[in-house]
Amino acid sequence: MSEPTDLSILDLRRKFADKSLSPSEYWLALERHIATWEPTISALYAYDPEDARRQAAASTARWAKGAPLGALDGIPVTLKELIATKGQPVPLGTAAVELIPAAEDAPIAARLREDGAVIFAKTTCPDYGMLSSGLSSFHKLSRNPWDPSQNPGGSSAGASAAAAAGYGPLHIGTDIGGSVRLPAGWTGIFGFKPSHGRIPVDPYYVGRCAGPMTRTVEDAAFSMATLSRPDWRDGTSLPPNEIDWMDLDINIRGMTIGLMLDAGCGLPVDDEVRDAVLAAAKCFEEAGATVVDVAPVLTRQMLDGLDAFWRARFWGDIMGLSEERRNAILPYIHSWAKGGADVSGVDAVRGFNQTIEMRKSCSKLFTEVDAVLSPTNPIVSYPAEWASPTNDPDRPFEHICFTVPWNMSEQPAASVNCGFSRSGMPIGLQIVGPRFGDMLVLRLSKAFEDWSSGVTNWPKPPV
């Protein structure tokens, strides 16, 4: 028997509509479930169950009248801590930031409230969202529900842990180099980074996207109608769309799909990861696609250029802080950022120019293929206490080589579970589509999820 907290968005909507379950009843069950998990995985920030009860009660009244506000009315949702909600501070994952209440909801929060979603908490992230880890100088250490000794990844660390632990069906993360997909891969959930501008963000930054993190492809797809409504605060926000986000059927026969098992640089791929991705590619081949090996789109020069640019940019952000506040930043992040002090303006521009080279490389590949498959993460897992898979601030981005190019090229990409290691940890398959091919990525992900039957043995709360 599945638990009430395992229900999908569509299941919940049906039950709310036929009055077999109310948003209030569901929330109370979820509140008890969260209480069993949270002391172990520490996924949440600004958790407010009392306000959630109030929101759920208001939704219950609307459903009783047959007049829900929108598609997500009564659905509990978390937002990554970097996504502002009016009246709450945005610590940016670091003890260095002054806690000032946000003046207004960011676009994502505004869209969710318009549709009646129950925003019950923020989720944790590392300092400034600049790590793929659950380690932070401000938040408690977030852990992986599959094995709390292991890292959930990041920077959408709490979101991935919350989704895997069943804290409701929908969690929203952000992604500038893989921060939705990397933790999704390490926690077995589905993480979707749409085309740049599809989900408006504020503040905007080169490559920065937001996306749903869910247990199923269908839950992520359903949320997109709400999340993709335009917002003037993001100058890259795409115009209103007529996309039927739930039209997930696809005929794969005749497609050419690239298989990328070498990222070009960075950490080598674990044998277990390689084997799982190869097995997944075989499924696409058996469905009628032509699967071809493709070369990497990333080079060491591109990655090092990005590193120099990001260090310089981040050092510029924090150099105005008092020494006391700078020293409050996680030492790993501070050590990495300090290298930006020695990056000249010319070298920073040269580093930025490597993002353009990434875009060109990705675009060229998609003149030859319809989609790309690759590992999401090169390695199976790493300790919860580590700041990154290398735990070395001089080698900070060795794990993002399969994911970061698609941020710079603004292409949609997702991570879907494709198996488990011998140690019992999830393994992620990344699926990438052409720019604006969001539906193709969702359809391919749904097809694979159907072939593999998805994850059916989600971790259970600690006894």
PDB file of all heavy atoms in Angstrom, residues 268-293:
ATOM      1  N   PRO A 268      36.679  11.291 -14.214  1.00  0.00           N
ATOM      2  CA  PRO A 268      36.330  10.138 -15.051  1.00  0.00           C
ATOM      3  C   PRO A 268      35.006   9.536 -14.602  1.00  0.00           C
ATOM      4  O   PRO A 268      34.612   9.657 -13.441  1.00  0.00           O
ATOM      5  CB  PRO A 268      37.500   9.173 -14.825  1.00  0.00           C
ATOM      6  CG  PRO A 268      38.083   9.565 -13.504  1.00  0.00           C
ATOM      7  CD  PRO A 268      37.872  11.045 -13.375  1.00  0.00           C
ATOM      8  N   VAL A 269      34.322   8.890 -15.525  1.00  0.00           N
ATOM      9  CA  VAL A 269      33.014   8.300 -15.236  1.00  0.00           C
ATOM     10  C   VAL A 269      33.204   6.954 -14.540  1.00  0.00           C
ATOM     11  O   VAL A 269      33.934   6.092 -15.033  1.00  0.00           O
ATOM     12  CB  VAL A 269      32.204   8.124 -16.535  1.00  0.00           C
ATOM     13  CG1 VAL A 269      30.870   7.439 -16.254  1.00  0.00           C
ATOM     14  CG2 VAL A 269      31.970   9.478 -17.201  1.00  0.00           C
ATOM     15  N   ASP A 270      32.541   6.786 -13.396  1.00  0.00           N
ATOM     16  CA  ASP A 270      32.561   5.500 -12.702  1.00  0.00           C
ATOM     17  C   ASP A 270      32.005   4.404 -13.611  1.00  0.00           C
ATOM     18  O   ASP A 270      31.054   4.636 -14.377  1.00  0.00           O
ATOM     19  CB  ASP A 270      31.706   5.554 -11.431  1.00  0.00           C
ATOM     20  CG  ASP A 270      32.363   6.314 -10.293  1.00  0.00           C
ATOM     21  OD1 ASP A 270      33.546   6.669 -10.419  1.00  0.00           O
ATOM     22  OD2 ASP A 270      31.679   6.555  -9.278  1.00  0.00           O
ATOM     23  N   ASP A 271      32.559   3.208 -13.483  1.00  0.00           N
ATOM     24  CA  ASP A 271      32.103   2.093 -14.310  1.00  0.00           C
ATOM     25  C   ASP A 271      30.608   1.828 -14.132  1.00  0.00           C
ATOM     26  O   ASP A 271      29.898   1.546 -15.106  1.00  0.00           O
ATOM     27  CB  ASP A 271      32.885   0.822 -13.971  1.00  0.00           C
ATOM     28  CG  ASP A 271      34.329   0.885 -14.455  1.00  0.00           C
ATOM     29  OD1 ASP A 271      34.637   1.748 -15.309  1.00  0.00           O
ATOM     30  OD2 ASP A 271      35.149   0.078 -13.977  1.00  0.00           O
ATOM     31  N   GLU A 272      30.121   1.919 -12.890  1.00  0.00           N
ATOM     32  CA  GLU A 272      28.700   1.650 -12.643  1.00  0.00           C
ATOM     33  C   GLU A 272      27.810   2.689 -13.321  1.00  0.00           C
ATOM     34  O   GLU A 272      26.725   2.365 -13.803  1.00  0.00           O
ATOM     35  CB  GLU A 272      28.419   1.610 -11.142  1.00  0.00           C
ATOM     36  CG  GLU A 272      28.989   0.401 -10.438  1.00  0.00           C
ATOM     37  CD  GLU A 272      28.609   0.383  -8.972  1.00  0.00           C
ATOM     38  OE1 GLU A 272      29.355   0.968  -8.169  1.00  0.00           O
ATOM     39  OE2 GLU A 272      27.560  -0.201  -8.634  1.00  0.00           O
ATOM     40  N   VAL A 273      28.265   3.925 -13.346  1.00  0.00           N
ATOM     41  CA  VAL A 273      27.510   4.980 -14.021  1.00  0.00           C
ATOM     42  C   VAL A 273      27.500   4.731 -15.520  1.00  0.00           C
ATOM     43  O   VAL A 273      26.450   4.794 -16.185  1.00  0.00           O
ATOM     44  CB  VAL A 273      28.104   6.363 -13.700  1.00  0.00           C
ATOM     45  CG1 VAL A 273      27.429   7.455 -14.527  1.00  0.00           C
ATOM     46  CG2 VAL A 273      27.979   6.669 -12.203  1.00  0.00           C
ATOM     47  N   ARG A 274      28.654   4.444 -16.074  1.00  0.00           N
ATOM     48  CA  ARG A 274      28.759   4.166 -17.509  1.00  0.00           C
ATOM     49  C   ARG A 274      27.842   3.010 -17.913  1.00  0.00           C
ATOM     50  O   ARG A 274      27.107   3.083 -18.901  1.00  0.00           O
ATOM     51  CB  ARG A 274      30.210   3.845 -17.873  1.00  0.00           C
ATOM     52  CG  ARG A 274      30.434   3.509 -19.348  1.00  0.00           C
ATOM     53  CD  ARG A 274      31.889   3.140 -19.593  1.00  0.00           C
ATOM     54  NE  ARG A 274      32.747   4.278 -19.338  1.00  0.00           N
ATOM     55  CZ  ARG A 274      33.106   5.168 -20.253  1.00  0.00           C
ATOM     56  NH1 ARG A 274      32.650   5.040 -21.501  1.00  0.00           N
ATOM     57  NH2 ARG A 274      33.893   6.168 -19.955  1.00  0.00           N
ATOM     58  N   ASP A 275      27.875   1.932 -17.137  1.00  0.00           N
ATOM     59  CA  ASP A 275      27.064   0.757 -17.473  1.00  0.00           C
ATOM     60  C   ASP A 275      25.564   1.076 -17.438  1.00  0.00           C
ATOM     61  O   ASP A 275      24.798   0.612 -18.293  1.00  0.00           O
ATOM     62  CB  ASP A 275      27.375  -0.392 -16.507  1.00  0.00           C
ATOM     63  CG  ASP A 275      28.768  -0.977 -16.724  1.00  0.00           C
ATOM     64  OD1 ASP A 275      29.385  -0.674 -17.756  1.00  0.00           O
ATOM     65  OD2 ASP A 275      29.244  -1.719 -15.826  1.00  0.00           O
ATOM     66  N   ALA A 276      25.145   1.866 -16.438  1.00  0.00           N
ATOM     67  CA  ALA A 276      23.726   2.215 -16.323  1.00  0.00           C
ATOM     68  C   ALA A 276      23.277   3.087 -17.495  1.00  0.00           C
ATOM     69  O   ALA A 276      22.182   2.916 -18.036  1.00  0.00           O
ATOM     70  CB  ALA A 276      23.460   2.929 -14.994  1.00  0.00           C
ATOM     71  N   VAL A 277      24.116   4.030 -17.912  1.00  0.00           N
ATOM     72  CA  VAL A 277      23.762   4.910 -19.031  1.00  0.00           C
ATOM     73  C   VAL A 277      23.760   4.130 -20.344  1.00  0.00           C
ATOM     74  O   VAL A 277      22.889   4.335 -21.202  1.00  0.00           O
ATOM     75  CB  VAL A 277      24.719   6.124 -19.081  1.00  0.00           C
ATOM     76  CG1 VAL A 277      24.499   6.942 -20.352  1.00  0.00           C
ATOM     77  CG2 VAL A 277      24.506   7.004 -17.855  1.00  0.00           C
ATOM     78  N   LEU A 278      24.704   3.208 -20.515  1.00  0.00           N
ATOM     79  CA  LEU A 278      24.714   2.362 -21.703  1.00  0.00           C
ATOM     80  C   LEU A 278      23.436   1.521 -21.789  1.00  0.00           C
ATOM     81  O   LEU A 278      22.844   1.370 -22.866  1.00  0.00           O
ATOM     82  CB  LEU A 278      25.938   1.450 -21.694  1.00  0.00           C
ATOM     83  CG  LEU A 278      27.251   2.075 -22.181  1.00  0.00           C
ATOM     84  CD1 LEU A 278      28.428   1.159 -21.853  1.00  0.00           C
ATOM     85  CD2 LEU A 278      27.195   2.341 -23.682  1.00  0.00           C
ATOM     86  N   ALA A 279      23.018   0.982 -20.653  1.00  0.00           N
ATOM     87  CA  ALA A 279      21.782   0.188 -20.627  1.00  0.00           C
ATOM     88  C   ALA A 279      20.577   1.057 -20.977  1.00  0.00           C
ATOM     89  O   ALA A 279      19.657   0.614 -21.680  1.00  0.00           O
ATOM     90  CB  ALA A 279      21.607  -0.454 -19.254  1.00  0.00           C
ATOM     91  N   ALA A 280      20.571   2.301 -20.489  1.00  0.00           N
ATOM     92  CA  ALA A 280      19.473   3.218 -20.819  1.00  0.00           C
ATOM     93  C   ALA A 280      19.458   3.532 -22.310  1.00  0.00           C
ATOM     94  O   ALA A 280      18.402   3.551 -22.953  1.00  0.00           O
ATOM     95  CB  ALA A 280      19.612   4.502 -20.007  1.00  0.00           C
ATOM     96  N   ALA A 281      20.642   3.760 -22.894  1.00  0.00           N
ATOM     97  CA  ALA A 281      20.722   4.050 -24.322  1.00  0.00           C
ATOM     98  C   ALA A 281      20.195   2.881 -25.145  1.00  0.00           C
ATOM     99  O   ALA A 281      19.557   3.079 -26.195  1.00  0.00           O
ATOM    100  CB  ALA A 281      22.165   4.366 -24.708  1.00  0.00           C
ATOM    101  N   LYS A 282      20.430   1.677 -24.654  1.00  0.00           N
ATOM    102  CA  LYS A 282      19.938   0.487 -25.345  1.00  0.00           C
ATOM    103  C   LYS A 282      18.408   0.502 -25.434  1.00  0.00           C
ATOM    104  O   LYS A 282      17.819   0.080 -26.432  1.00  0.00           O
ATOM    105  CB  LYS A 282      20.408  -0.761 -24.610  1.00  0.00           C
ATOM    106  CG  LYS A 282      20.157  -2.062 -25.351  1.00  0.00           C
ATOM    107  CD  LYS A 282      21.082  -2.202 -26.540  1.00  0.00           C
ATOM    108  CE  LYS A 282      20.911  -3.562 -27.202  1.00  0.00           C
ATOM    109  NZ  LYS A 282      21.685  -3.659 -28.458  1.00  0.00           N
ATOM    110  N   CYS A 283      17.747   1.012 -24.411  1.00  0.00           N
ATOM    111  CA  CYS A 283      16.279   1.117 -24.424  1.00  0.00           C
ATOM    112  C   CYS A 283      15.808   2.011 -25.561  1.00  0.00           C
ATOM    113  O   CYS A 283      14.816   1.698 -26.246  1.00  0.00           O
ATOM    114  CB  CYS A 283      15.772   1.658 -23.090  1.00  0.00           C
ATOM    115  SG  CYS A 283      16.010   0.564 -21.671  1.00  0.00           S
ATOM    116  N   PHE A 284      16.503   3.130 -25.775  1.00  0.00           N
ATOM    117  CA  PHE A 284      16.122   4.038 -26.861  1.00  0.00           C
ATOM    118  C   PHE A 284      16.353   3.366 -28.217  1.00  0.00           C
ATOM    119  O   PHE A 284      15.561   3.539 -29.150  1.00  0.00           O
ATOM    120  CB  PHE A 284      16.911   5.343 -26.756  1.00  0.00           C
ATOM    121  CG  PHE A 284      16.461   6.231 -25.632  1.00  0.00           C
ATOM    122  CD1 PHE A 284      17.006   6.100 -24.359  1.00  0.00           C
ATOM    123  CD2 PHE A 284      15.478   7.180 -25.839  1.00  0.00           C
ATOM    124  CE1 PHE A 284      16.576   6.907 -23.319  1.00  0.00           C
ATOM    125  CE2 PHE A 284      15.047   7.998 -24.805  1.00  0.00           C
ATOM    126  CZ  PHE A 284      15.599   7.855 -23.531  1.00  0.00           C
ATOM    127  N   GLU A 285      17.431   2.616 -28.306  1.00  0.00           N
ATOM    128  CA  GLU A 285      17.730   1.898 -29.538  1.00  0.00           C
ATOM    129  C   GLU A 285      16.654   0.857 -29.832  1.00  0.00           C
ATOM    130  O   GLU A 285      16.183   0.726 -30.973  1.00  0.00           O
ATOM    131  CB  GLU A 285      19.093   1.229 -29.402  1.00  0.00           C
ATOM    132  CG  GLU A 285      19.770   0.902 -30.704  1.00  0.00           C
ATOM    133  CD  GLU A 285      21.227   0.539 -30.464  1.00  0.00           C
ATOM    134  OE1 GLU A 285      21.512  -0.330 -29.613  1.00  0.00           O
ATOM    135  OE2 GLU A 285      22.085   1.142 -31.132  1.00  0.00           O
ATOM    136  N   GLU A 286      16.243   0.128 -28.806  1.00  0.00           N
ATOM    137  CA  GLU A 286      15.214  -0.896 -28.980  1.00  0.00           C
ATOM    138  C   GLU A 286      13.862  -0.286 -29.351  1.00  0.00           C
ATOM    139  O   GLU A 286      13.017  -0.955 -29.962  1.00  0.00           O
ATOM    140  CB  GLU A 286      15.096  -1.734 -27.708  1.00  0.00           C
ATOM    141  CG  GLU A 286      16.316  -2.623 -27.465  1.00  0.00           C
ATOM    142  CD  GLU A 286      16.293  -3.288 -26.100  1.00  0.00           C
ATOM    143  OE1 GLU A 286      15.420  -2.924 -25.274  1.00  0.00           O
ATOM    144  OE2 GLU A 286      17.153  -4.156 -25.848  1.00  0.00           O
ATOM    145  N   ALA A 287      13.656   0.986 -29.001  1.00  0.00           N
ATOM    146  CA  ALA A 287      12.401   1.672 -29.348  1.00  0.00           C
ATOM    147  C   ALA A 287      12.429   2.244 -30.754  1.00  0.00           C
ATOM    148  O   ALA A 287      11.444   2.853 -31.189  1.00  0.00           O
ATOM    149  CB  ALA A 287      12.122   2.776 -28.335  1.00  0.00           C
ATOM    150  N   GLY A 288      13.555   2.081 -31.458  1.00  0.00           N
ATOM    151  CA  GLY A 288      13.599   2.495 -32.852  1.00  0.00           C
ATOM    152  C   GLY A 288      14.489   3.678 -33.165  1.00  0.00           C
ATOM    153  O   GLY A 288      14.584   4.092 -34.322  1.00  0.00           O
ATOM    154  N   ALA A 289      15.149   4.245 -32.143  1.00  0.00           N
ATOM    155  CA  ALA A 289      16.063   5.354 -32.391  1.00  0.00           C
ATOM    156  C   ALA A 289      17.408   4.826 -32.872  1.00  0.00           C
ATOM    157  O   ALA A 289      17.804   3.707 -32.562  1.00  0.00           O
ATOM    158  CB  ALA A 289      16.251   6.188 -31.129  1.00  0.00           C
ATOM    159  N   THR A 290      18.111   5.634 -33.626  1.00  0.00           N
ATOM    160  CA  THR A 290      19.500   5.353 -33.964  1.00  0.00           C
ATOM    161  C   THR A 290      20.373   6.064 -32.933  1.00  0.00           C
ATOM    162  O   THR A 290      20.328   7.305 -32.825  1.00  0.00           O
ATOM    163  CB  THR A 290      19.842   5.860 -35.372  1.00  0.00           C
ATOM    164  OG1 THR A 290      19.012   5.190 -36.323  1.00  0.00           O
ATOM    165  CG2 THR A 290      21.300   5.601 -35.707  1.00  0.00           C
ATOM    166  N   VAL A 291      21.108   5.300 -32.152  1.00  0.00           N
ATOM    167  CA  VAL A 291      21.959   5.870 -31.108  1.00  0.00           C
ATOM    168  C   VAL A 291      23.397   5.884 -31.615  1.00  0.00           C
ATOM    169  O   VAL A 291      23.938   4.843 -32.004  1.00  0.00           O
ATOM    170  CB  VAL A 291      21.849   5.072 -29.795  1.00  0.00           C
ATOM    171  CG1 VAL A 291      22.803   5.639 -28.742  1.00  0.00           C
ATOM    172  CG2 VAL A 291      20.409   5.110 -29.276  1.00  0.00           C
ATOM    173  N   VAL A 292      24.004   7.066 -31.619  1.00  0.00           N
ATOM    174  CA  VAL A 292      25.363   7.217 -32.138  1.00  0.00           C
ATOM    175  C   VAL A 292      26.260   7.833 -31.067  1.00  0.00           C
ATOM    176  O   VAL A 292      25.839   8.708 -30.306  1.00  0.00           O
ATOM    177  CB  VAL A 292      25.381   8.102 -33.407  1.00  0.00           C
ATOM    178  CG1 VAL A 292      24.590   7.454 -34.527  1.00  0.00           C
ATOM    179  CG2 VAL A 292      24.831   9.504 -33.116  1.00  0.00           C
ATOM    180  N   ASP A 293      27.492   7.358 -30.993  1.00  0.00           N
ATOM    181  CA  ASP A 293      28.455   7.957 -30.079  1.00  0.00           C
ATOM    182  C   ASP A 293      28.800   9.361 -30.554  1.00  0.00           C
ATOM    183  O   ASP A 293      29.013   9.578 -31.757  1.00  0.00           O
ATOM    184  CB  ASP A 293      29.733   7.112 -30.011  1.00  0.00           C
ATOM    185  CG  ASP A 293      29.508   5.758 -29.359  1.00  0.00           C
ATOM    186  OD1 ASP A 293      28.615   5.669 -28.493  1.00  0.00           O
ATOM    187  OD2 ASP A 293      30.201   4.795 -29.718  1.00  0.00           O
TER     188      ASP A 293
END
